[in-house]
Amino acid sequence: MHLKLGTMHTIVVSSPEMAKELIQKHDLAISSRAVPEAARALNHHTASLAWLPVGSQWRTLRKICNENMFSSKQLEASQILRREKLQQLRDYVQGCCSSGRVVSIGEIAFVTSINLISSTLFSMDFAQFGTDSSQEMKEAVQGLMKTHGTPNLADYFPMLKLIDPQGIKRESEVHLGKILATFDEIVSQRLQSRCGVHSPKKDDMLEALLDLNQENDSNFSLHDIKHLLLDLFVAGTDTVVDSVEWAMTELIRNPEKMLKAKNELSTIIGMNKQVEESDISRLPYMHSVVKETFRCHPPGPFLVPHRANDDIEINGYTIPKNSQILINVWAIGKDSRIWSNAHSFEPERFLDSKINYRGQDFELITFGSGRRICPGLPLAHRMVHLMVAYLVHNFNWKLEPGVKPEELDMNEKFGLSLHKAAPLKAIPTKVNTTF
Ligand code: HEM
């Protein structure tokens, strides 16, 4: 589909065949970004892994992330941290069971997710369960997803850029400013403590980045560090929260699927044991639940907008240079040519299927594909499986009195990520175990 929105050509790709043709044959030509005004706030786009064009600066940032955060070795080493955050999640929900408290799944997933990321980046927790401590950060992260996903007249009519008629860039500045100010403080404190003789080195991403910054002839500045941390923080929080909330919503709405997931966990893991990362590959039903959640509710419904560097010829059509390219993963997931009963949640469809979300199967490119594929995929894979498995294995969930599973509000709220419009609230009861 070719849309001319103001002065901008927008190409929307809504079939796996076309996505494959574009990404496999023209990956380099479409690997830059159509940078929205929202991402230009505080000049974030000039240092951002997510918004830089493919080039040496972008390659360096990807390499730094892959080596220091997402390599198998690093992920093995940080496993212990994730286990600790999941135990905190379990303990909190267990407390809610005792007091019969209603739990907002999005809230607890947010606290877990933000702490998983903040402890990997900074060795510190940003949020606590049951308090408003993380409210400001939450508003900033979700505010950025909103400003980056809201259609902005200034992106389509460049003469409006100076006026910023919807105030989107200004709002973005406020959210970016808040997060960067927090990171500024953390980085300054760390720099000070690195000068002290008695402070042991931390084993986190910030320490690795500061080491790189302090290498001789390094041109990796503190400014670069803060903007990279910001991208990792924002991209890694909301996407995971949305996935967990949607997975739990679908399972609570489909009690027979919930039972299958529970049975698999109790048979393979055992009632008195917790799920470990090494168990994920032994849980085919849970893996299918996650894939089906990604198919039905992709956290990045259009990926992050790509841009054509040049005119591209494809199937007899020309994509003009500088067009914005949106890969409509949301529509591909709902296409009845590809999926039987496309609108129902059926994890079973993946049990005997080789389709995966690692960028090779264009029916399910939840994380994108090619050069720009999400670098956080291996971490996200672990976080989403573990959080859902913990919530399912340790607790039984029922809806508040008067709410029926089939009447759950399934509306979606579009931004750069796809939120559940109405938060999922449920009451946990403890499964009988000896943990
Ligand atoms: C369920 C969780 C997640 C989903 C579905 C997801 C999805 C995506 C998608 C669709 C893109 C854009 C791909 C493209 O434009 O072709 C992306 C980019 C990115 N993601 Fe993720 N992501 C998730 C979790 C994470 C995590 C945990 C991190 C890091 C902590 C992360 C960091 C990034 C970064 C930095 C980019 C920009 C990469 C670039 O432009 O080169 N993501 N992600």
Side-chain angles (χ1 to χ4, degrees):
M1 193 192 299
H2 180 174
L3 305 168
K4 180 92 192 296
L5 303 168
T7 58
M8 193 198 278
H9 292 277
T10 298
I11 308 297
V12 187
V13 177
S14 305
S15 75
E17 297 81 16
M18 235 359 122
K20 184 171 180 181
E21 178 88 7
L22 252 187
I23 296 179
Q24 284 197 336
K25 294 211 181 123
H26 304 279
D27 190 25
L28 185 57
I30 61 151
S31 280
S32 287
R33 294 291 190 204
V35 183
E37 278 297 285
R40 292 175 191 270
L42 306 180
N43 279 329
H44 176 57
H45 67 298
T46 59
S48 157
L49 172 56
W51 296 108
L52 278 167
V54 164
S56 64
Q57 195 184 351
W58 172 83
R59 263 185 221 101
T60 307
L61 294 178
R62 291 271 308 200
K63 188 161 166 258
I64 290 174
C65 291
N66 290 336
E67 285 176 359
N68 296 289
M69 197 164 164
F70 304 127
S71 67
S72 310
K73 189 169 148 247
Q74 283 303 327
L75 288 172
E76 289 313 308
S78 54
Q79 202 180 145
I80 185 163
L81 240 166
R82 289 186 287 281
R83 192 181 301 136
E84 191 187 302
K85 302 297 146 209
L86 287 160
Q87 279 164 4
Q88 288 167 1
L89 168 71
R90 189 198 62 199
D91 293 347
Y92 174 72
V93 179
Q94 210 174 319
C96 296
C97 294
S98 321
S99 57
R101 210 173 324 150
V102 179
V103 168
S104 161
I105 303 288
E107 293 285 340
I108 57 169
F110 185 84
V111 172
T112 310
S113 201
I114 202 172
N115 284 346
L116 277 169
I117 298 286
S118 66
S119 51
T120 311
L121 299 180
F122 307 113
S123 304
M124 56 177 19
D125 283 350
F126 274 19
Q128 279 174 339
F129 288 105
T131 70
D132 281 345
S133 58
S134 58
Q135 199 52 32
E136 221 186 355
M137 272 295 171
K138 187 173 179 183
E139 276 169 21
V141 170
Q142 294 187 342
L144 283 176
M145 285 295 180
K146 191 180 123 223
T147 54
H148 283 61
T150 306
N152 185 350
L153 282 172
D155 288 329
Y156 303 110
F157 300 97
M159 69 220 195
L160 295 176
K161 284 184 181 176
L162 270 181
I163 309 170
D164 186 17
Q166 293 150 273
I168 289 180
K169 190 173 176 190
R170 288 192 293 279
E171 194 184 330
S172 234
E173 262 163 21
V174 174
H175 299 312
L176 283 171
K178 267 193 193 140
I179 301 180
L180 287 172
T182 308
F183 290 2
D184 229 1
E185 223 171 279
I186 298 174
V187 172
S188 304
Q189 280 169 6
R190 182 66 64 87
L191 282 170
Q192 267 178 12
S193 77
R194 278 164 65 100
C195 294
V197 247
H198 299 301
S199 356
K201 270 189 106 169
K202 296 257 195 304
D203 187 17
D204 58 22
M205 184 70 170
L206 177 57
E207 202 74 31
L209 297 179
L210 290 174
D211 284 347
L212 286 175
N213 163 261
Q214 291 177 351
E215 273 172 12
N216 286 340
D217 67 26
S218 162
N219 49 13
F220 187 48
S221 67
L222 290 181
H223 174 270
D224 295 333
I225 291 184
K226 281 176 250 177
H227 284 263
L228 174 59
L229 291 169
L230 187 140
D231 274 357
L232 294 170
F233 186 72
V234 174
T237 309
D238 234 22
T239 43
V240 172
V241 176
D242 290 339
S243 310
V244 173
E245 188 172 25
W246 280 116
M248 288 302 292
T249 305
E250 291 289 7
L251 288 174
I252 291 175
R253 203 164 76 112
N254 295 280
E256 74 292 0
K257 318 273 181 219
M258 175 70 99
L259 195 61
K260 280 190 186 179
K262 276 181 171 299
N263 285 344
E264 181 183 70
L265 286 160
S266 55
T267 312
I268 293 177
I269 306 299
M271 283 317 291
N272 296 320
K273 279 180 72 189
Q274 293 305 325
V275 189
E276 298 288 343
E277 296 189 3
S278 54
D279 295 321
I280 296 175
S281 59
R282 299 196 294 134
L283 298 169
Y285 195 76
M286 181 52 69
H287 192 33
S288 303
V289 165
V290 172
K291 283 184 189 169
E292 183 68 342
T293 304
F294 286 157
R295 178 187 75 81
C296 298
H297 311 284
F302 297 123
L303 303 183
V304 178
H306 288 236
R307 181 171 62 84
N309 292 333
D310 247 318
D311 283 353
I312 300 171
E313 294 297 325
I314 181 164
N315 277 14
Y317 295 95
T318 304
I319 298 180
K321 184 175 174 179
N322 288 330
S323 299
Q324 158 173 259
I325 300 171
L326 305 178
I327 314 264
N328 192 347
V329 177
W330 186 87
I332 294 175
K334 307 273 181 308
D335 190 338
S336 54
R337 278 184 320 124
I338 311 167
W339 311 101
S340 55
N341 301 328
H343 288 272
S344 50
F345 185 79
E346 294 176 4
E348 293 73 14
R349 72 174 83 241
F350 286 110
L351 280 176
D352 292 320
S353 150
K354 290 208 159 34
I355 296 178
N356 211 328
Y357 44 75
R358 296 193 181 266
Q360 302 305 316
D361 304 308
F362 286 81
E363 304 88 330
L364 193 70
I365 45 170
T366 322
F367 293 85
S369 174
R371 280 180 177 71
R372 282 283 185 174
I373 193 170
C374 172
L377 192 163
L379 175 61
H381 169 80
R382 293 170 188 230
M383 285 169 76
V384 175
H385 279 86
L386 284 184
M387 258 197 256
V388 178
Y390 257 69
L391 294 174
V392 169
H393 191 36
N394 291 305
F395 305 100
N396 294 321
W397 295 92
K398 64 174 196 276
L399 294 166
E400 292 175 276
V403 185
K404 296 196 183 116
E406 61 279 14
E407 288 170 4
L408 269 179
D409 183 339
M410 299 298 281
N411 281 319
E412 298 163 328
K413 205 159 74 183
F414 274 86
L416 194 61
S417 62
L418 189 69
H419 285 300
K420 201 174 166 303
L424 171 65
K425 299 203 166 160
I427 303 170
T429 46
K430 190 170 166 299
V431 170
N432 262 343
T433 57
T434 54
F435 64 72

